[in-house]
Amino acid sequence: MDEPNATHPGSPNPWVPMAFVQDLDDGPHRVTVDERSFALFRADGRWQALLDRCPHRAARLSDGVLHDGRLECLYHGWQFGHGGTCLHIPQLLAEQSIPARAHVSAYPVREAQGIVWLRPDAAEAVDDGAAAADDDVAPPLVDALDDEATRSIDFMIDLPYEQSFLIENVIDIAHIHVAHHGVRGGGHRDLAAPLEFEVSERRPEGFSASFRSVGLALDDAGGAALRGARVAFVAPNLVHYESLYEDPTLRSGLALYSAPRGRDRCRLLYRAYNNFPRLRDRLRPRWLEHWTQCTILEQDMDVVQGQVDEMLRAGRPPRELWLPLKSSDALVIAYRRWLDEHGLGAAQIGFDRLQPAAAARPPTVPFDRLSMHTEICTSCTRAHRRLLAARAPLSFAAFTLLAVAAAGGGVPAAATALAVAAGRIGIDRLERRFRGRGT
């Protein structure tokens, strides 16, 4: 089990996950961390991140284009190279040199375990891109994912609430069997039971715990015998679950990364992994797996948004509002107390304290699966576009066959037209799963 930030104990890990590599093209992409925007792109096989503001007239560089490894501002064509160096200004007179202020701040970027990571806390020197940040600090990786036999299901979604509420939600084991009853990958209401936790000391770099359901047999969904389960919070953005099997060769877990995008926005990078994938798991397309994850997150979202609204409306910390149970909420309390002790930001809520700025929250944002997941997922985007492309030909075919039937084509033409029309309706229903809540 990964211990919290063992490489540099005593501080939260500074790397923030941006996205899965498979969901990114070369860019540029606009990414945000705590309301700060960066232009993320890949040139000459290397990821780079620049402050998303052209020094000329403050246009967003992420709206620009890539030319020969340079990021060109879409407004006036200023071009920036590695490390944020301004290399070309079309409007500059021949005898003029590029001003020093024309360079843009660059930030360390690293690709590891299929994720692109950004360090927003440390600007690089404007030269060849040598990082000013401590390069010895590694992102919070999961060792099991380096095993070639391990398969993972990767899923990414943007959520309309602040990061700490997402972490509280995913570290709350007790809600799974109730909130996600009957959902594939969720739980069953009859399995809701008291939980027993052994929580480690809270440190700046996080905490860990072992847990079990009191009175229930230990086995996973596939019948493999378990000897326990553990979870680690690797501050500030990873919740890592690990199942411990009687067979030491078996391995499975969840790596749940979060990224703070703003005061009412965050991103979840969900990774379920194991080294014993079933045949159906190997064959199921990625976009079909994502429907299940969207359903689960949407179920949580209704609850979490209501929780956020009520807590901020009351303007009181959880200690005064909640009635927590030791056999249910130990990890949630440990996390909120960690925020009190080590990580309480301007818009966050600890267990004992509520920051005044947290109460000034924008109105609840309606959930839109298309923008929050489909459009940032390459697998779902491709599948969605294929469905859209298939609708028009099917509609034309159905109309044509009905016309043929009406003109005397008989029962075969009418039956074929009805079958095609049913296919068109089926495509509409599938397409809605990419846009909104599916059933």
Side-chain angles (χ1 to χ4, degrees):
M1 182 82 184
D2 301 276
E3 288 300 319
N5 200 10
T7 304
H8 282 256
S11 62
N13 194 287
W15 291 95
V16 179
M18 293 291 98
F20 292 111
V21 176
Q22 64 182 315
D23 291 319
L24 296 173
D25 55 23
D26 287 345
H29 301 274
R30 183 171 184 249
V31 296
T32 57
V33 181
D34 286 330
E35 307 287 357
R36 297 171 62 200
S37 296
F38 304 87
L40 178 70
F41 62 99
R42 180 167 47 194
D44 300 323
R46 184 173 179 179
W47 288 104
Q48 302 179 55
L50 306 181
L51 184 68
D52 196 17
R53 185 175 66 237
C54 181
H56 178 212
R57 297 265 294 281
R60 291 198 305 226
L61 291 176
S62 58
D63 291 333
V65 293
L66 292 177
H67 282 305
D68 298 324
R70 299 179 178 186
L71 178 56
E72 179 180 281
C73 180
L74 192 63
Y75 204 8
H76 296 93
W78 289 30
Q79 293 183 351
F80 303 88
H82 190 68
T85 303
C86 184
L87 300 174
H88 178 61
I89 298 177
Q91 300 82 12
L92 205 62
L93 296 173
E95 65 272 16
Q96 291 181 304
S97 59
I98 294 177
R101 287 184 57 195
H103 305 306
V104 180
S105 295
Y107 295 80
V109 182
R110 187 178 296 185
E111 180 180 330
Q113 291 188 339
I115 295 175
V116 176
W117 305 81
L118 170 70
R119 279 201 64 171
D121 65 323
E124 297 180 330
V126 181
D127 48 25
D128 63 350
D134 182 356
D135 207 36
D136 290 335
V137 180
L141 305 179
V142 175
D143 294 341
L145 293 170
D146 291 327
D147 186 344
E148 292 183 357
T150 299
R151 176 187 181 271
S152 68
I153 298 171
D154 298 340
F155 165 80
M156 182 168 64
I157 189 169
D158 290 332
L159 297 167
Y161 36 79
E162 188 265 330
Q163 181 190 25
S164 71
F165 285 99
L166 170 60
I167 294 177
E168 177 191 319
N169 175 234
V170 300
I171 210 170
D172 174 20
I173 302 165
H175 86 282
I176 295 173
H177 287 303
V178 177
H180 308 306
H181 169 75
V183 179
R184 181 178 179 272
H188 194 283
R189 187 173 288 106
D190 291 343
L191 298 179
L195 295 163
E196 186 177 79
F197 300 93
E198 292 184 12
V199 185
S200 72
E201 177 186 359
R202 294 184 302 275
R203 297 175 289 171
E205 61 269 28
F207 59 87
S208 60
S210 60
F211 61 92
R212 70 180 188 91
S213 293
V214 177
L216 293 180
L218 290 176
D219 57 30
D220 74 353
L226 289 167
R227 59 182 176 85
R230 295 188 296 191
V231 61
F233 166 60
V234 184
N237 56 35
L238 169 61
V239 176
H240 179 205
Y241 286 97
E242 184 180 21
S243 297
L244 306 175
Y245 294 92
E246 294 292 351
D247 181 349
T249 66
L250 298 181
R251 181 182 302 114
S252 71
L254 286 174
L256 305 170
Y257 291 101
S258 60
R261 300 190 63 205
R263 291 182 55 190
D264 62 337
R265 294 173 298 146
C266 65
R267 171 167 289 183
L268 170 66
L269 277 69
Y270 167 106
R271 174 169 273 170
Y273 66 87
N274 65 62
N275 65 352
F276 50 93
R278 303 171 185 86
L279 180 61
R280 70 178 184 182
D281 293 331
R282 292 180 182 274
L283 297 177
R284 284 171 68 89
R286 185 175 180 236
W287 55 266
L288 190 57
E289 293 281 358
H290 290 183
W291 284 356
T292 298
Q293 300 308 322
C294 282
T295 298
I296 290 174
L297 266 296
E298 288 162 9
Q299 289 174 338
D300 282 336
M301 194 176 310
D302 290 332
V303 178
V304 174
Q305 283 187 312
Q307 176 194 23
V308 173
D309 290 341
E310 287 303 313
M311 291 180 66
L312 297 184
R313 185 180 296 112
R316 295 155 59 195
R319 175 183 285 279
E320 299 178 18
L321 290 177
W322 293 357
L323 182 60
L325 301 176
K326 184 178 180 180
S327 55
S328 171
D329 308 302
L331 294 179
V332 170
I333 301 304
Y335 172 62
R336 288 294 177 187
R337 282 181 168 155
W338 181 89
L339 285 174
D340 278 330
E341 298 161 0
H342 304 293
L344 195 60
Q348 290 180 329
I349 299 172
F351 185 67
D352 296 302
R353 293 189 292 146
L354 171 71
Q355 294 286 51
R361 180 179 180 270
T364 297
V365 180
F367 180 78
D368 171 10
R369 186 184 290 187
L370 182 66
S371 62
M372 292 188 175
H373 171 67
T374 300
E375 292 179 343
I376 63 173
C377 170
T378 55
S379 301
C380 291
T381 295
R382 283 195 298 265
H384 186 225
R385 287 174 178 171
R386 288 168 184 162
L387 285 173
L388 291 176
R391 289 199 305 187
L394 281 177
S395 296
F396 178 77
F399 177 80
T400 302
L401 287 167
L402 285 173
V404 170
V411 174
T416 304
L418 290 175
V420 172
R424 171 66 164 79
I425 294 171
I427 283 181
D428 283 344
R429 294 192 62 171
L430 290 174
E431 192 270 333
R432 285 196 293 271
R433 298 291 294 269
F434 291 103
R435 288 189 289 108
R437 301 192 181 200
T439 56

